[in-house]
Each structure stands twice: as C-alpha cells, then as structure tokens.
Amino acid sequence: MSNESESLAGGRARLPQGVRDLLAALAGRHLVGNALVGPVDGACLTVLDPATGRALAQAPAAGPADVQTAVAAARAAGQAWARVPARERGRLVAEGGRRIAAASPDLAPLLAAETGKAIRTECRPEIATAADILAMFGGLATELKGETLPFSPDMLALTTREPLGVVAAILPWNVPLVLMALKIGPALVAGNTVVVKASEEAPFATIEAARLLADLLPPGVLNVICGTGPACGAPLVRHPDVAKVTFTGSQAVGEAIYREAADKLIPVSLELGGKSPMLVFADADLDRAVAGAVAGMRFTRQGQSCTASSRIYVDAELHDRFVERLAAAVSNLRMGDPLEEATDIGTVINARQRAKIMDYIARGEATPGARAVRCGHLPAAPDLAAGLFVEPVLFTGLTEDSPLMRDEIFGPVACIVPFSDEDDVLEAANAGEFGLAATVWTRDLRRALRVSHALDAGYVQVNQNLTIQPNLSYGGFKKSGLGKEASLESMLEHFTRKKTIVVDMR
C-alpha cells in the first residue's frame, strides 16, 4: 500500500464499514448527469479529518472543463424539466427529502468526519432540517401561480411564473446540507436545473445527499461539482449559461460574485457574514437567557455560524451573574471526538480557521482591562491530539472599537458587555456593517416589539435563538446579504421570473 493509501485508510478507520465504503465510492468524483464521474483532468484535493488531522479521502478538484460539463448537462435537461408539472416536481423534491432523512445513519457520520461537527448535537439535526426544508418546498409547488389582471374588459391580461434556467448554488462548509436544501429546493420546484459547487473542505455528504435526490430526477437536473473558488466557483459564476447565482459565504467573495453577476445582468441572492447582537434586559428570565446564549452562539458548532450571537449585551444588574452562569453552562459541554455520542462540541474546520480564531483570542487577552474566561477542557485522547479543537472563550471588558466586537471571528468567542440604557444599547447593537440576526430577551411585550422594530437586522427573535427554520423568511440587511431564503417568498422572488401576457379578445 502506498503512503497516500495508508494515510487515507487511517483517516477512514474511525468510520463504520458502510460509511467507509460510501466514502470510497464518492472519493474523487463529481455528480454530473446522475453519474459519479471523475474530474476531466483527474485533479484531486485531500480532505482532512479535522478531529485527527489525518487524511480522510481525495475530493475532486473541478476546473473550467468540469464546470462546462456540468452546466451543459443542466442546460440540456432544462426545457424538459420545466415542462414537468409543478406538483410533480414538488413531489419528487419532497421524496428526495425523505430519502435523505432515511440515510441519516450513513450521512451523519460522514458529515461529522469531514466537518468536525458533533454527530449528535449538530449532524443529525442538520440532516433532519435539510429534509424538512425540501419537504416544505415540495409542498409549495402549487403556489407557482400567476394572476389575472383587470386591465380591460376586452382583453385577457395575466401573469405567469417561469423558471430562470440554470442556477449556480455555491455552498460553504459549516452547514452544507441545510444550505444546499435552501437553494436547490426552491430552484428545482420552480423548474430550474442546478449546478451546486460543494465546499472543497467538506464535499462528501453534500454529494451523497444530492445523489439521493438526483436519482429521482431526470439526468442533469441536479449536478454537484467540487473545487476551489478560483478554479471552480469563478468559472461557474461567469459561465454564459448560468442564469442565477445563489451564494452563502464570506462578504468578500459575495461582493466579487455580485460584481461578476452585474456584468452579466443576472440575479443573485447572497447570504453573507454577521456579528449578531443579543440584548438581555433586566427583567429577562436569566436561566432562559443563558440557555439562549449557549444555543445562539452555536457553541456546539464551535461558533462557526453567521448568526452566532457573538455580541451579548446584558443589563448591568444581571451582567456578573449572567457571565458566571454562561461560563458554567459552556464548561459543562463535552468537547471530544465528533463521532462519539457523548460529544457536544467537535472541532473547527481547518488549521487556517483555528489560527485565525487563536489570533483573535490572543488580541483580546492582550487588551488592557479585558478579561478572558476559558470554558471547558480540550480532549485528552492521544488520537485527538492533532485535532482542531478550540476552547470556548467569553470576553468581558472590551470596548466597541475592539476587533473582537467588530469582526466576524467564526469561532467560539463571545463578547459580553453591560448596558444601562435602551437607546445606548440599540445604538451599539446597530453599529457595524452587518445586519443579519439579533435576539431580544425580556418579559415586557411592549419593549420586545419596540426593540425588535428598532434593530437593524433581517432576522429578529424574542426569548429564543433558533437556527434557520423552514417557512421562516431568513436573510440579512446591510452587508449581510441580499434576498431571503427558507420561504415561499424566496422561491417566487429569487427562482422565477414573472411574465405578463395580454390577449386582445375583440
């Protein structure tokens, strides 16, 4: 056995045999035209297991030729798929969701192995949510309808909804299955065909979930390629046959995609970064607010979420007790092997991301007047010594101009700030370039509504901190993105075009 083969075999050894077989079948292959195919030039990338640092498998590295093949397959399937009755398209997409849910025993360990996310707290719930999203959009198929317009008694005036064509869906690595479902669900039900660019960091569960759905669809309707942004993502966005781009990822990449799409005059939807505030007022249920902070900071995902409540403003009366209780709650979460049932927190995605997080922590600790509260313990198992684990850290004593208060760290780092005035805390919460999400914690209904209206964020919750949910319109303001996801609105406004037809009846 070659050194590379030994390394890959070692990286897969922690997986059940059935999952190892699945990973071996997916390695080095895209999904194009309902077939698993290798890249045109044979190029591959090594995907690492973040918990052990060992190689997991070879992922295909798409280049412009692979983009061309995938888009051509999608375009060839487009007209026939658009003619399939919408209700039938919805039935097939919903059935795909059920198949993905049924495959959770294999998909969940595969997702845990490539992302480092804990199988119990993160991976199984993600698969269930992705399936629910596909079921929801499948059920909305009959809402793809137009209107009759009272233009003139002598004329029949009406509107129709038509698919756009080939949709490019570009995914990140943090919640790839949920985000894929948010994009392909409405796109497919609306009659479009899709080329997904999976993250090169964690492509395998994405390809397998798409394959389960694509097996129900005509060849070419749903395709998945994997590669880097410059070699794969950029050619996909620029391709002349791509009629729509939907992207979730960083602000910088989203802005670049927006510029490319503007040159082509095609629509885009962008879900970008966030630095979400959490406002805890003096009358809040403290225990409930602490639990909401644990969930809202996505600590079980190592804080790798654009909606993470990383700026927590707490009424000065509650501040010290809140910090103490939050530190205790986070410290009770068990960090360990993502594949073990007892694990609450896994790893971050790669060494580059870990280094970025650790740099922010070091800068915070070096700030005069700041206090860092480290929570929990790194795993002691020898086989996890090289894993990309990061202890959650709570900071107090930082000012609003601190990089930790302004920047999206995408790690388990939360800043807790006391306040005493509602107007002042709203001004602080609304500062900055992001406006994705926010939460409000109070028992006063008038305050809850007043503050919710005043917050400059696209997704505001009161006394809860849920992740993306089916049928709750989701999307940000300012530089957090463009457009909405997870709702009927997203399907109609972002994946169809409206045509007006006027017939002279005289």
Side-chain angles (χ1 to χ4, degrees):
M1 184 182 288
S2 69
N3 289 339
E4 181 179 55
S5 297
E6 291 173 355
S7 176
L8 292 174
R12 292 195 292 265
R14 296 161 54 251
L15 295 169
Q17 184 60 52
V19 181
R20 279 184 265 170
D21 293 342
L22 175 59
L23 187 57
L26 296 171
R29 294 174 176 86
H30 303 296
L31 177 67
V32 178
N34 288 20
L36 293 172
V37 298
V40 172
D41 63 2
C44 287
L45 300 164
T46 300
V47 175
L48 298 178
D49 176 349
T52 65
R54 304 183 74 175
L56 187 64
Q58 293 289 302
D66 300 290
V67 170
Q68 177 61 39
T69 299
V71 174
R75 185 183 181 196
Q79 290 188 2
W81 178 243
R83 288 195 296 267
V84 172
R87 187 172 180 179
E88 175 64 8
R89 296 195 301 258
R91 186 189 70 79
L92 293 171
V93 168
E95 175 60 25
R98 286 187 284 272
R99 291 192 177 191
I100 289 169
S104 185
D106 286 339
L107 276 178
L110 183 58
L111 185 63
E114 64 182 349
T115 64
K117 297 193 302 183
I119 191 169
R120 173 179 53 83
T121 58
E122 286 291 328
C123 295
R124 290 197 193 101
E126 178 177 351
I127 293 164
T129 300
D132 284 348
I133 290 168
L134 293 176
M136 180 201 72
F137 281 113
L140 290 176
T142 54
E143 296 303 311
L144 289 159
K145 54 195 177 187
E147 307 154 315
T148 55
L149 308 174
F151 177 67
S152 168
D154 300 319
M155 297 184 183
L156 173 63
L158 57 101
T159 65
T160 61
R161 292 276 182 180
E162 298 180 346
L164 300 171
V166 178
V167 171
I170 303 176
L171 307 180
W173 41 260
N174 59 333
V175 275
L177 300 189
V178 162
L179 294 171
M180 180 170 70
L182 287 174
K183 299 175 190 311
I184 68 174
L188 294 173
V189 171
N192 302 280
T193 56
V194 183
V195 177
V196 174
K197 191 198 95 64
S199 168
E200 68 273 24
E201 304 278 4
F204 299 115
T206 301
I207 295 172
E208 175 60 10
R211 187 192 65 80
L212 294 169
L213 172 54
D215 279 351
L216 297 166
L217 309 176
V221 170
L222 176 59
N223 311 274
V224 183
I225 55 178
C226 167
T228 66
C232 177
L236 181 59
V237 172
R238 288 195 297 264
H239 196 289
D241 290 333
V242 166
K244 156 82 182 184
V245 179
T246 173
F247 168 81
T248 298
S250 72
Q251 175 189 336
V253 176
E255 289 173 350
I257 288 172
Y258 198 24
R259 288 190 291 268
E260 291 279 2
D263 287 341
K264 294 170 59 180
L265 285 179
I266 63 170
V268 297
S269 47
L270 305 171
E271 200 270 276
L272 308 177
K275 191 68 179 175
S276 300
M278 175 176 176
L279 279 57
V280 183
F281 288 90
D283 67 334
D285 181 323
L286 184 57
D287 290 336
R288 191 173 176 183
V290 168
V294 174
M297 247 309 294
R298 317 293 183 234
F299 281 117
T300 57
R301 200 187 300 166
Q302 281 279 23
Q304 297 173 124
S305 170
C306 49
T307 59
S309 297
S310 53
R311 292 186 295 149
I312 305 177
Y313 296 93
V314 183
D315 188 281
E317 181 182 323
L318 297 180
H319 177 269
D320 291 350
R321 283 180 290 158
F322 181 92
V323 173
E324 180 182 355
R325 293 195 193 184
L326 180 58
V330 177
S331 294
N332 283 334
L333 298 174
R334 183 179 183 274
M335 187 180 299
D337 187 338
L339 292 170
E340 291 183 1
E341 291 295 328
T343 296
D344 297 303
I345 304 176
T347 74
V348 298
I349 186 66
N350 57 38
R352 183 178 65 256
Q353 183 64 20
R354 185 181 186 278
K356 173 187 172 184
I357 295 166
M358 299 308 292
D359 178 66
Y360 274 105
I361 293 172
R363 283 195 275 173
E365 290 177 329
T367 301
R371 172 175 172 246
V373 181
R374 292 180 177 266
C375 306
H377 305 281
L378 296 174
D383 61 327
L384 303 179
L388 301 173
F389 298 92
V390 179
E391 288 176 291
V393 182
L394 309 179
F395 276 98
T396 61
L398 294 173
T399 56
E400 290 294 328
D401 61 351
S402 167
L404 284 76
M405 290 288 290
R406 295 195 317 264
D407 301 346
E408 183 180 40
I409 300 173
F410 228 64
V413 181
C415 304
I416 307 171
V417 180
F419 74 89
S420 56
D421 180 81
E422 181 179 306
D423 290 337
D424 289 345
V425 75
L426 279 170
E427 182 178 358
N430 288 335
E433 58 188 4
F434 296 120
L436 183 55
T439 61
V440 182
W441 300 80
T442 179
R443 301 176 203 239
D444 184 332
L445 178 60
R446 291 184 180 87
R447 173 186 284 140
L449 291 174
R450 182 175 66 247
V451 172
S452 295
H453 285 299
L455 284 165
D456 197 6
Y459 186 44
V460 179
Q461 300 179 67
V462 178
N463 294 333
Q464 66 178 17
N465 217 326
L466 300 174
T467 58
I468 299 170
Q469 299 294 313
N471 210 31
L472 287 180
S473 184
Y474 169 76
F477 297 162
K478 299 190 285 189
K479 290 196 173 181
S480 286
L482 297 170
K484 297 292 183 180
E485 293 186 306
S487 63
L488 173 62
E489 169 194 6
S490 68
M491 181 168 68
L492 296 180
E493 297 302 320
H494 302 311
F495 294 100
T496 70
R497 60 186 186 183
K498 181 183 281 191
K499 177 181 286 183
T500 301
I501 300 172
V502 182
V503 181
D504 191 334
M505 305 296 290
R506 292 173 296 183

